[in-house]
Amino acid sequence: MKTIEEFTNKIICGDCLEVIKQIPDNSIDSIITDPPAGIAFMGEDWDDFTSVKTTKSQLITWMNAGVKFSSAGLLEFQEFIYLTFSEAIRVVKPGSHILVWALPRTSHHTAMGLERAGFEIRDKIYFVFGSGFPKSLNIGKAVDKLLGNTREVISKQERSGRSGGILGKDTKIIHYKTKGNSEWEGYGTALKPAVEEWILARKPLSEKTITDNVLRWGTGGINIDACRVPLQEGEDLSINREGDKKLDTNNRGWGFKAVSRDNEGRFPSHLILDESEEVDNLFPKNTSRYFQHCSADTRIFYGNKASKKEKGEGNNHPTVKSLSLMQYLCRLVIPTGGIVLDPFAGSGTTLIAACQEGFNFIGIEKEPKYCRIAEERLKNLIQE
Ligand SMILES: C[S@@+](CC[C@H](N)C(=O)[O-])C[C@H]1O[C@@H](n2cnc3c(N)ncnc32)[C@H](O)[C@@H]1O
């Protein structure tokens, strides 16, 4: 076993399960991580669990419970989350909060893996974004192709290939929009992604009360004031509907809240919105202001996408998170001066965000090429 100082503010290249085994007990304040989702995303090996073997006793438990085995390796994925977080729970302090990203399609497995590892599921944060891309099979078109049916061309679009893309910038791409007549016309296989989940869980307290726990370990609470939803210009929440000043009940009363606290911003909720027009339009005029906004372009298929500037030069990681979202999540669960662990660090966004918010970090990533990108990004941040 090593000391925590040997890990702090470093990126360790290796398998997280093996690396975590060397971290001392109760030494970390929180975990924020974006693990695989178990769907073999874009053919990436790290998201394919068909080869992970579940333990024999686990298989028997599942079979006795009547669980049918999925060919997609999802139970193996759950087992992977369970095994990883069974080790991770040892290294976080009692009362530590963890935030684990999940895809709606497989989040039940992620949550079960965490719960079986001993974490208490406290909540789920939903991040809503506007420009997800549907990865849906056009069934009508596939049926027509199979049956040899002709499809009517409705429109034709010509675009230039993107510079730097595989096709080169002078290539013309012609896109035909077609329509068929089969009864399957208009059917597809998937919805457009517009939400991702962050599972908020906590290691059980070691003390009888939350106050005893925070005083002993410095963990157990989430930082509400650091995450209040900013008020808009001219908004004054200390005035009630009748135009009078609200009573100051020291934030303990059920009706009126403390004047000073309200004016620091609204209480954070478990809904976060991106800043796209599409998401803003979901709300009646001016009501999206009740929720936290985090800037994010939308990442194709998987969730929110980071802009090129914040990703860093040459970052080709396929699932880079947005910095402003990660900064917000860091502020929410890492206690002041605390250490956050990201065991699936990828290109290091959690680590950059933690550093920017003044926290310490430990990153683990098994792919050397992503470790190098994360190190480069951190180096640039320190230089800035
Ligand atoms: C979804 S990505 C994280 C992306 C990251 N949030 C970012 O912004 O760049 C998950 C990462 O976990 C890594 N990974 C998968 N299994 C791992 C393991 N057992 N140990 C360490 N890293 C692993 C993958 O290589 C991948 O880079």
Side-chain angles (χ1 to χ4, degrees):
M1 194 73 63
K2 296 184 177 175
T3 63
I4 192 64
E5 288 74 26
E6 289 174 82
F7 292 96
T8 311
N9 296 331
K10 293 202 178 102
I11 299 163
I12 293 105
C13 200
D15 188 302
C16 61
L17 195 51
E18 294 314 311
V19 178
I20 297 174
K21 283 184 185 151
Q22 303 165 35
I23 301 180
D25 296 358
N26 304 326
S27 58
I28 284 171
D29 299 279
S30 35
I31 296 175
I32 304 179
T33 195
D34 167 24
I39 54 160
F41 173 66
M42 283 165 92
E44 294 282 343
D45 285 349
W46 51 260
D47 208 13
D48 186 350
F49 290 86
T50 40
S51 61
V52 174
K53 290 287 158 265
T54 42
T55 57
K56 209 170 168 188
S57 66
Q58 188 54 58
L59 284 179
I60 294 165
T61 317
W62 276 332
M63 273 154 54
N64 288 343
V67 173
K68 297 264 185 317
F69 286 87
S70 84
S71 57
L74 285 177
L75 292 177
E76 288 79 358
F77 163 65
Q78 186 189 123
E79 190 71 0
F80 169 79
I81 295 287
Y82 160 70
L83 292 173
T84 308
F85 283 87
S86 296
E87 196 56 37
I89 198 164
R90 179 186 59 75
V91 303
V92 291
K93 297 173 185 168
S96 290
H97 280 90
I98 67 168
L99 274 168
V100 182
W101 175 88
L103 201 62
R105 229 168 94 186
T106 54
S107 63
H108 50 298
H109 286 288
T110 314
M112 275 302 294
L114 296 176
E115 201 166 74
R116 285 174 50 218
F119 285 98
E120 296 163 352
I121 307 293
R122 304 279 304 165
D123 210 332
K124 276 181 174 177
I125 295 178
Y126 294 88
F127 180 60
V128 183
F129 50 90
S131 43
F133 197 83
K135 199 182 173 191
S136 167
L137 175 81
N138 182 335
I139 299 180
K141 205 169 174 178
V143 166
D144 285 339
K145 189 172 172 200
L146 190 75
L147 302 182
N149 298 339
T150 332
R151 292 175 66 81
E152 182 195 346
V153 175
I154 308 171
S155 64
K156 178 181 161 188
Q157 263 184 356
E158 199 174 279
R159 279 184 286 122
S160 301
R162 283 201 196 156
S163 63
I166 323 164
L167 298 173
K169 68 173 176 231
D170 296 327
T171 322
K172 295 270 177 267
I173 303 165
I174 300 174
H175 180 73
Y176 294 99
K177 199 166 179 202
T178 59
K179 192 176 182 317
N181 297 316
S182 83
E183 61 179 309
W184 294 108
E185 189 59 25
Y187 281 75
T189 53
L191 297 170
K192 176 178 131 119
V195 65
E196 66 179 26
E197 298 179 17
W198 286 89
I199 300 165
L200 178 67
R202 193 173 72 183
K203 176 168 170 174
L205 309 177
S206 65
E207 310 304 300
K208 281 211 181 83
T209 66
I210 192 87
T211 39
D212 287 341
N213 203 89
V214 293
L215 291 176
R216 169 153 184 210
W217 297 101
T219 43
I222 50 176
N223 197 341
I224 299 296
D225 275 358
C227 292
R228 284 184 177 265
V229 183
L231 300 185
Q232 293 196 329
E233 228 182 286
E235 261 192 292
D236 185 353
L237 297 190
S238 63
I239 310 283
N240 69 17
R241 284 206 188 105
E242 281 73 47
D244 300 328
K245 279 269 174 202
K246 279 184 185 175
L247 292 175
D248 186 344
T249 55
N250 233 353
N251 218 2
R252 271 186 227 113
W254 19 259
F256 300 110
K257 296 207 181 95
V259 171
S260 56
R261 280 293 160 88
D262 272 354
N263 268 343
E264 281 163 20
R266 294 190 162 88
F267 208 92
S269 74
H270 61 189
L271 184 63
I272 306 177
L273 311 175
D274 82 353
E275 291 169 335
S276 67
E277 217 182 310
E278 196 169 347
V279 171
D280 213 45
N281 286 343
L282 290 173
F283 293 83
K285 201 173 177 306
N286 225 3
T287 51
S288 76
R289 72 177 192 275
Y290 295 118
F291 304 101
Q292 181 68 39
H293 285 73
C294 287
S295 78
D297 303 331
T298 309
R299 184 191 322 146
I300 295 176
F301 310 141
Y302 223 39
N304 62 312
K305 189 174 90 179
S307 73
K308 209 168 178 180
K309 186 168 168 266
E310 61 177 55
K311 270 171 87 166
E313 274 310 307
N315 184 353
N316 58 358
H317 196 290
T319 66
V320 180
K321 285 275 162 241
S322 109
L323 259 179
S324 80
L325 176 68
M326 299 315 292
Q327 284 175 291
Y328 174 82
L329 298 178
C330 284
R331 290 200 300 278
L332 187 66
V333 294
I334 317 174
T336 309
I339 307 176
V340 63
L341 168 69
D342 184 349
F344 301 98
S347 67
T349 315
T350 311
L351 321 178
I352 310 270
C355 204
Q356 283 181 330
E357 292 292 326
F359 301 112
N360 296 298
F361 62 81
I362 298 172
I364 309 173
E365 167 57 49
K366 74 170 183 190
E367 294 289 337
K369 61 180 176 189
Y370 299 142
C371 290
R372 281 194 293 275
I373 294 172
E375 269 159 14
E376 193 62 25
R377 289 177 80 192
L378 275 163
K379 211 170 78 193
N380 291 343
L381 179 72
I382 291 160
Q383 274 169 8
E384 264 175 36

